[in-house]
Amino acid sequence: MSLFDIADLSPAEIIEILDRAEAYAGKRTDELAEKTVATLFFENSTRTRLSFELAATRLGSEVVSFTPESSSAAKGESLRDTIQTVGALGVDLLIIRHRNVGVAEMANRWTGLPVINAGDGRRAHPTQTLLDLLTMRRRFGTVAGLSVAIVGDIANSRVARGMLDALPRLGSRVTLVGPSTFLPEPSPWSASVSRDLDSVVAGADVVYMLRVQKERGATAAYPSDASYSRRFGLTEERASLMKPGAVVMHPGPINRGVEIASSVADGERSLILDQVRNGVPVRMAVMASEVGERH
Ligand code: CP
């Protein structure tokens, strides 16, 4: 089995992975002893890559790590040859991040190996969605009935797409807020749309701030970081409008002072480091499901 997109999982399958992740938190097992996991990150990453590698190690797996800059891809080796070469080394699972949509599916076809998509372009980042759901569930007990505001660079965000798929299916209400350049109307998504961040922030249980994806040209979509922050950033003043018990999330990495003020990112409502922590047991649960039960 592979995992390409959160949309491939039913609500029951999502809940099963979250339950399994709860059981893995802080644990080590030998479920993937004798297995080898390969991470291939053609786009930069800190938290996803390291948490997949830690998760694989905590399941007892061997881990090999491919980085394009120091590989024969830098000599011009094609994507297909690179992926087939890693597959031929005798690995059991590929974890792939690439700027192009669909590379995980192609890798699966080229090698016949299970593949977990660790982020492809603007489309999907399913394990991020799962760790975000686990983080919400741990705080609120359930995601059903939560009011979630997703704010910012929606157009470029695979994280937003994952949430927009999963949250309504699990019973949450989603409101999108962003400038028209990041959130055109009519919105193609089944969520409410607002340009009034103050009122949305005041009513939300979860304020999920998105990174402005400068590497995808997002800065051309607004006049300046300062004006973006004033209108669509979670400033300290705006965060003070939040309800008691409401929380702030962000997938990271953060542009401090642009989409979120440092004091809010580091403040008591912030679950940003909980999101990072939850990445390890979630990825253990996903890998154990994809590989452990196949053989
Ligand atoms: N959230 C996320 O995918 O972070 P990295 O790019 O550091 O992996």
Side-chain angles (χ1 to χ4, degrees):
M1 288 283 292
S2 294
L3 179 59
F4 303 128
D5 195 333
I6 197 75
D8 300 335
L9 298 176
S10 68
E13 288 170 324
I14 291 172
I15 299 297
E16 193 182 320
I17 290 172
L18 302 188
D19 290 345
R20 195 164 181 168
E22 291 283 11
Y24 281 128
K27 303 250 169 58
R28 290 174 188 270
T29 81
D30 59 0
E31 282 171 75
L32 296 194
E34 314 294 322
K35 304 289 184 203
T36 303
V37 172
T39 58
L40 299 92
F41 278 64
F42 296 89
E43 270 192 343
N44 295 339
S45 169
T46 298
R47 41 197 76 59
T48 309
R49 178 189 196 124
L50 292 179
S51 64
F52 263 117
E53 292 177 355
L54 269 175
T57 305
R58 288 184 187 173
L59 289 167
S61 174
E62 193 172 49
V63 180
V64 290
S65 188
F66 165 89
T67 41
E69 303 77 24
S70 61
S71 75
S72 290
K75 301 181 208 164
E77 190 163 35
S78 73
L79 180 64
R80 182 177 183 147
D81 286 342
T82 298
I83 290 173
Q84 286 184 326
T85 296
V86 174
L89 289 169
V91 306
D92 300 285
L93 173 66
L94 303 175
I95 313 292
I96 297 186
R97 171 174 287 188
H98 199 281
R99 69 176 181 280
N100 293 343
V101 169
V103 167
E105 283 95 328
M106 289 197 294
N108 172 248
R109 281 200 300 278
W110 291 336
T111 63
L113 291 168
V115 179
I116 299 174
N117 181 5
D120 62 340
R122 296 177 175 85
R123 182 185 67 153
H125 189 355
T127 56
Q128 178 72 44
T129 311
L130 290 165
L131 73 86
D132 288 336
L133 294 171
L134 182 66
T135 304
M136 290 181 203
R137 197 176 80 161
R138 280 189 162 174
R139 175 53 65 108
F140 293 101
T142 176
V143 297
L146 292 181
S147 171
V148 181
I150 302 178
V151 183
D153 185 0
I154 290 149
N156 287 307
S157 179
R158 56 196 177 208
V159 175
R161 274 175 184 68
M163 300 292 262
L164 280 160
D165 175 79
L167 285 170
R169 290 196 289 138
L170 294 169
S172 308
R173 294 182 307 282
V174 180
T175 305
L176 300 173
V177 189
S180 57
T181 42
F182 287 156
L183 176 55
E185 282 193 277
S187 158
W189 296 290
S190 57
S192 310
V193 172
S194 174
R195 309 280 178 212
D196 180 3
L197 183 54
D198 287 357
S199 69
V200 172
V201 160
D205 299 301
V206 178
V207 179
Y208 196 108
M209 302 306 296
L210 297 171
R211 183 170 67 88
V212 172
Q213 300 210 22
K214 298 186 175 193
E215 77 277 19
R216 298 191 209 282
T219 49
Y222 59 88
S224 68
D225 284 352
S227 68
Y228 184 87
S229 173
R230 270 195 303 279
R231 183 84 198 278
F232 294 104
L234 192 58
T235 59
E236 199 169 323
E237 185 184 7
R238 197 165 267 139
S240 72
L241 303 172
M242 291 172 68
K243 298 192 291 191
V247 299
V248 173
M249 295 175 68
H250 188 302
I254 298 169
N255 296 305
R256 288 175 181 264
V258 183
E259 69 267 4
I260 188 167
S262 267
S263 58
V264 178
D266 301 332
E268 59 186 23
R269 291 184 185 277
S270 173
L271 299 186
I272 294 170
L273 291 179
D274 296 83
Q275 292 171 263
V276 175
R277 272 180 213 105
N278 290 334
V280 175
V282 158
R283 290 173 173 125
M284 288 174 77
V286 171
M287 284 192 282
S289 310
E290 304 307 324
V291 178
E293 289 158 11
R294 292 177 72 249
H295 298 281

